[in-house]
Amino acid sequence: MITSDAITWNAPRDDHPARAASQRSYSAVAKGDLQEWLTVYAEDAVVEDPVGPSMFDPDGNGHHGHDGIRAFWEVAIAPVYRFEFVINDSFANPGSNTCANIGSITTSFEDGSHTTTDLIMVYVVNDDGRVASMKAYWEPDRTMASFVQGGGA
């Protein structure tokens, strides 16, 4: 369920559990609500954003459990002033617990600077509809190449 105007959903709309969980995740991030975001994820969930070694995860092992996911929030999400999600497509086989969303995320900072990340996000949910695994496939160098400096706070 989308509860933020910072999300443009140009993909199929249905009640697939992984697709619904991804929408809840985007909405919580767009609202800056860590507690709501954590309720979307299972206690033992793993977040890999991006998959592999990065500035957020130097060893590339992912962020494990609510403590790891909370730590990821603090370094990757909390510093951002505004998120804008555009989901152009979503693939979810009926009867499965997985979806893959294709889109972009624009992250804006208080001084007006921003970047846009083109990515594929794969969500796997457990039987309770909570995210067990989220893998975001994107390239940090491509995102940084899109950086536009702002004009000040």
Side-chain angles (χ1 to χ4, degrees), residues 25-108:
S25 178
Y26 303 148
S27 293
V29 168
K31 291 188 287 187
D33 190 332
L34 170 60
Q35 294 310 314
E36 181 180 329
W37 194 57
L38 289 173
T39 67
V40 176
Y41 288 84
E43 296 292 331
D44 60 348
V46 178
V47 170
E48 297 176 69
D49 187 355
V51 171
S54 73
M55 64 286 230
F56 303 128
D57 182 11
D59 295 329
N61 296 321
H63 307 277
H64 295 258
H66 279 195
D67 287 343
I69 294 168
R70 182 180 292 107
F72 170 75
W73 176 284
E74 293 303 325
V75 298
I77 297 173
V80 176
Y81 182 71
R82 179 172 168 78
F83 285 90
E84 295 174 68
F85 296 85
V86 177
I87 305 303
N88 293 313
D89 214 343
S90 178
F91 298 90
N93 192 13
S96 74
N97 65 341
T98 304
C99 78
N101 297 336
I102 299 170
S104 64
I105 302 172
T106 299
T107 54
S108 300

